[in-house]
Amino acid sequence: MSNVDPNRRPSNAGRYAFLLILGLVLGVIATVMTMRALNERKDHFPDALMHVQQWHMGQLKADMDANRCNATDILPHLQALRVTANDIDAAFPDLRDDTRFTAASSAMRAATDKAIANPPLTCDGLGATMKSIGETCKACHQDFRG
C-alpha cells in the first residue's frame, strides 16, 4: 500500500521558481534596455575626440619605434592632432569658461603649431615633440579627467 494521501494537492514550488526566474530575466532585459537608452543620450563627441588624438599619438610612437621619423610619415599625424585640437573647447562646453582649461587647450594648439612649423627630422626630435605635446595633454588630464 502506498503512503500517498489522495487528498493532498501538488506543491506550487515549481510555479514560484518559474515566476522568480522569469522575473529575474525580465529585470535583466529591462536594465540593459534602460542602460542602452541612457548611453544613447550621452554626448560621445568628447570621448571620440580624445580617442582620435590618442590614436594619432600612438601612430607617431609606432613610427618612432619603427625608425620612420621623416616628415612625410609624421606630418599627417601632427596636422591631424592640430585640427582636432581646434575642437577641444567645443567638445567640453562645460569647461569653456575655465581659465585652466582654455590655457591647456591653447598650450596643446601651440605645441602642435610649433611641431608643424618646424617638423622634427630625427626620431630623437620626434620624441621631444611627442613629449611636449604629451605634457600639454597630461596637464589638462590631471586637472579635469575624472
Side-chain angles (χ1 to χ4, degrees):
M1 193 173 252
S2 80
N3 292 336
V4 176
D5 184 6
N7 294 331
R8 184 170 179 226
R9 294 179 40 196
S11 171
N12 288 328
R15 287 186 197 156
Y16 294 138
F18 173 76
L19 287 176
L20 176 67
I21 291 171
L22 180 64
L24 289 173
V25 169
L26 291 176
V28 167
I29 291 171
T31 301
V32 169
M33 290 175 65
T34 302
M35 296 300 287
R36 293 185 122 213
L38 291 173
N39 190 41
E40 288 301 315
R41 291 178 150 196
K42 179 182 172 189
D43 182 11
H44 295 283
F45 180 54
D47 291 334
L49 180 66
M50 293 295 110
H51 284 292
V52 169
Q53 288 182 332
Q54 184 179 16
W55 184 83
H56 283 289
M57 288 293 283
Q59 293 302 302
L60 288 171
K61 179 158 179 20
D63 285 347
M64 190 172 69
D65 291 344
N67 201 27
R68 295 182 50 205
C69 300
N70 55 26
T72 57
D73 292 324
I74 63 170
L75 265 176
H77 298 295
L78 292 173
Q79 290 168 336
L81 285 169
R82 177 57 177 95
V83 169
T84 56
N86 288 338
D87 294 328
I88 291 175
D89 293 333
F92 300 96
D94 296 343
L95 300 173
R96 195 176 302 169
D97 295 330
D98 191 313
T99 57
R100 295 175 305 153
F101 181 76
T102 56
S105 64
S106 293
M108 167 87 175
R109 288 188 290 275
T112 53
D113 283 341
K114 181 180 174 187
I116 291 169
N118 190 11
L121 301 176
T122 65
C123 287
D124 289 337
L126 177 57
T129 298
M130 288 179 58
K131 182 178 179 190
S132 173
I133 294 170
E135 286 173 355
T136 65
C137 296
K138 184 179 177 182
C140 187
H141 289 184
Q142 283 177 339
D143 288 339
F144 299 103
R145 199 175 199 183

